[in-house]
């Protein structure tokens, strides 16, 4: 499945291909200041999100302090990886198969820029908040690698590590430090794929940061973002535009599709349609469909609820709002279901709200928006203020 739409007339890029030696991934851990080399021409970047079920691309251009949507597209991944065995993880896919997939989606979506920002899957990264004694910055810098060994399940020599002090508590005499790591083999894989495609790898970024950038803008409240992916669901708590908690659950929207197809004896394609058309309906005639879906949804929400309860128990500022994103957000009735369960304002993500696009695209973008949060946030990384 492929759908795409070019938001503006096609333009021919007029700049050479470049390859960066140093690839930043947490250099702009919060919302970055706009920065680009004018010699390269218009500041267009493409965000590339390689998910378990599909790959999404979004090309944005910086123009008069605005992010202009130039094009976007999505392509299902299944047929590109059907000959592989390895559980479907990003690292298990061959470089050439990933490159073939990206070649097709970039071409069919009419992406023209060669400057790309790749998203790091939740399952290929580590994000945690640790508490350290009150120390000077150089002392924290020395302590972080030792502290990281307690939380990262692979040797620290095999990861790219970064950190940021979130806050200091003089009364409790400790600092809260955001600790982030990406396996070196993941970054190396993106380098190789970018080389095959002739892309300039401007940066790589963990998807939770991209989602935060795309959805929260200048919001300084406390928001829980539920990213309901195909295979993994991630809940991220953001306070004052800083990630305070990030947790992955090995359950995704694909589990709902499979269960619905089995229980009703229908195809996976039909099950996907019924998720969107019926979902968690309370109508008596749709009880069978909702009955197959709701136990899985409630089980996942129970895991999320425990996580948020633990966060609220120790946090100074409690979660005030929930945003649902990812392919799972398209489940009909999910927003009301979550809102009732948590007693909080709950909305579906709209990452395109921070971009400029033609009015005729509004209905289409509203429908697909939750699935593009990562890709939009990646493209915004190099141009957003």
């Amino acid at each position: 499945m492929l759908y795409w739409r070019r938001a503006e007339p096609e333009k021919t890029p007029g700049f050479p291909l470049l390859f960066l030696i140093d690839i930043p991934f947490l250099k702009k851990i919060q919302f970055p200041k706009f920065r680009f080399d004018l010699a390269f021409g218009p500041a267009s970047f493409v965000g590339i999100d390689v998910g378990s079920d599909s790959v999404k691309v979004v090309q944005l251009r910086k123009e008069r302090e605005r992010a202009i949507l130039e094009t976007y597209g999505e392509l299902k991944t299944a047929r590109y990886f059907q000959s592989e065995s390895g559980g479907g993880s990003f690292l298990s896919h061959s470089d050439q198969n990933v490159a073939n997939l990206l070649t097709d989606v970039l071409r069919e979506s009419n992406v023209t820029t060669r400057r790309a920002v790749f998203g790091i899957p939740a399952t290929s990264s580590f994000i945690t908040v640790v508490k350290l004694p009150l120390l000077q910055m150089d002392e924290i810098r020395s302590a972080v690698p030792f502290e990281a060994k307690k939380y990262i399940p692979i040797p620290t020599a095999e990861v790219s590590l970064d950190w940021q002090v979130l806050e200091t508590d003089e009364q409790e005499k400790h600092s809260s430090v955001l600790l982030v790591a990406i396996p070196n083999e993941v970054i190396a894989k993106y380098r190789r794929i970018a080389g095959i495609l002739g892309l300039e790898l401007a940066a790589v970024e963990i998807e939770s940061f991209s989602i935060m950038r795309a959805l929260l803008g200048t919001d300084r409240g406390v928001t829980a973002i539920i990213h309901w992916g195909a295979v993994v669901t991630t809940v991220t708590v953001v306070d004052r535009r800083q990630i305070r908690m990030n947790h992955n659950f090995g359950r995704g929207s694909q589990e709902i599709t499979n269960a619905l197809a089995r229980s009703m004896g229908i195809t996976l394609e039909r099950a996907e349609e019924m998720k969107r058309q019926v979902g968690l309906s309370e109508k008596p005639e749709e009880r069978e469909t909702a009955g197959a879906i709701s136990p899985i949804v409630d089980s996942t929400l129970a895991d999320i609820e425990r996580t948020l309860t633990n966060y609220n128990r120790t946090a100074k500022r409690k979660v005030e709002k929930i945003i649902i994103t990812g392919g799972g957000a398209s489940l009909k009735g999910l927003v009301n279901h979550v809102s009732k369960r948590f007693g909080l304002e709950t909305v579906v993500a709209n990452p395109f709200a921070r971009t400029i696009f033609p009015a005729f695209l509004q209905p289409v973008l509203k429908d697909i928006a939750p699935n593009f949060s990562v890709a939009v946030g990646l493209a915004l990384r190099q141009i957003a203020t």
Side-chain angles (χ1 to χ4, degrees), residues 228 251-264 266 270-281 286-301 328 330-334 337:
W228 214 306
R251 312 188 71 171
S253 62
Q254 200 171 73
E255 183 180 358
I256 299 174
T257 305
N258 294 337
L260 189 58
R262 285 195 305 269
S263 67
M264 302 192 70
I266 57 178
R270 178 57 182 154
E272 282 290 342
E273 292 176 4
M274 295 187 73
K275 283 165 55 178
R276 291 174 166 79
Q277 297 169 0
V278 180
L280 297 169
S281 172
E286 296 172 334
R287 188 173 300 157
E288 183 181 3
T289 300
I293 294 173
S294 58
I296 300 173
V297 171
D298 287 337
S299 178
T300 303
L301 292 179
S330 63
L331 178 67
K332 187 173 182 179
L334 181 61
H337 193 74

Side-chain angles (χ1 to χ4, degrees), residues 50-324:
V50 183
S52 301
D53 182 60
S54 66
V55 58
K56 281 77 65 177
V57 297
V58 172
Q59 180 174 316
L60 299 178
R61 183 183 78 248
K62 174 82 171 188
E63 185 177 287
R64 291 196 289 272
E65 304 307 313
R66 303 180 302 174
I68 309 298
L69 175 63
E70 294 188 300
T71 192
Y72 64 91
E74 179 176 18
L75 182 60
K76 292 293 185 178
T77 61
R79 72 181 182 90
Y80 292 87
F81 306 137
Q82 60 187 359
S83 63
E84 299 181 350
S85 59
S89 67
F90 172 73
L91 284 174
S92 71
H93 301 317
S94 74
D95 295 353
Q96 191 57 58
N97 282 347
V98 176
N100 291 342
L101 168 66
L102 295 182
T103 296
D104 287 350
V105 72
L106 293 171
R107 181 186 63 248
E108 297 300 326
S109 303
N110 285 337
V111 169
T112 56
T113 183
R114 310 312 297 172
R115 289 168 290 194
V117 182
F118 280 83
I120 303 293
T123 52
S124 297
S125 59
F126 309 94
I127 303 176
T128 190
V129 176
V130 300
K131 290 186 177 180
L132 296 177
L134 288 180
L135 301 170
Q136 298 296 321
M137 293 301 288
D138 57 341
E139 294 175 312
I140 293 178
R141 187 176 294 109
S142 299
V144 161
F146 295 97
E147 194 69 19
K149 294 178 181 179
K150 302 177 185 178
Y151 301 94
I152 299 174
I154 61 177
T156 54
E158 298 177 11
V159 301
S160 293
L161 187 67
D162 209 341
W163 56 275
Q164 178 180 353
V165 176
L166 298 176
E167 62 183 3
T168 58
D169 190 323
E170 297 289 344
Q171 184 175 355
E172 297 292 333
K173 300 187 182 303
H174 72 252
S175 297
S176 294
V177 179
L178 181 66
L179 184 65
V180 183
I182 299 175
N184 293 331
E185 62 178 333
V186 175
I187 298 177
K189 188 175 186 69
Y190 277 124
R191 285 181 185 270
R192 296 192 302 269
I193 293 169
I196 294 172
L197 297 172
L199 294 175
E200 172 200 338
L201 189 52
V204 296
E205 182 171 70
I206 298 172
E207 60 184 25
S208 296
F209 292 95
S210 305
I211 293 170
M212 174 181 70
R213 181 184 303 108
L215 302 183
L216 296 185
T218 59
D219 188 340
R220 300 185 66 82
V222 187
T223 302
I225 302 174
I226 300 175
H227 181 58
W228 214 306
V231 177
V232 175
T233 298
T234 302
V235 58
T236 305
V237 175
V238 181
D239 184 2
R240 295 189 179 94
R241 306 197 304 174
Q242 293 177 322
I243 290 181
R244 299 303 180 109
M245 186 274 292
N246 192 84
H247 194 83
N248 301 323
F249 303 95
R251 312 188 71 171
S253 62
Q254 200 171 73
E255 183 180 358
I256 299 174
T257 305
N258 294 337
L260 189 58
R262 285 195 305 269
S263 67
M264 302 192 70
I266 57 178
T267 64
L268 294 175
E269 291 74 16
R270 178 57 182 154
E272 282 290 342
E273 292 176 4
M274 295 187 73
K275 283 165 55 178
R276 291 174 166 79
Q277 297 169 0
V278 180
L280 297 169
S281 172
E282 297 179 355
K283 296 179 180 178
E285 64 271 24
E286 296 172 334
R287 188 173 300 157
E288 183 181 3
T289 300
I293 294 173
S294 58
I296 300 173
V297 171
D298 287 337
S299 178
T300 303
L301 292 179
D303 290 337
I304 294 173
E305 188 172 28
R306 282 191 290 271
T307 300
L308 294 183
T309 298
N310 289 336
Y311 176 84
N312 284 334
R313 187 177 294 123
T314 58
K316 295 178 181 178
R317 288 162 36 104
K318 315 304 180 187
V319 174
E320 306 163 339
K321 177 181 178 180
I322 294 175
I323 301 177
I324 306 176

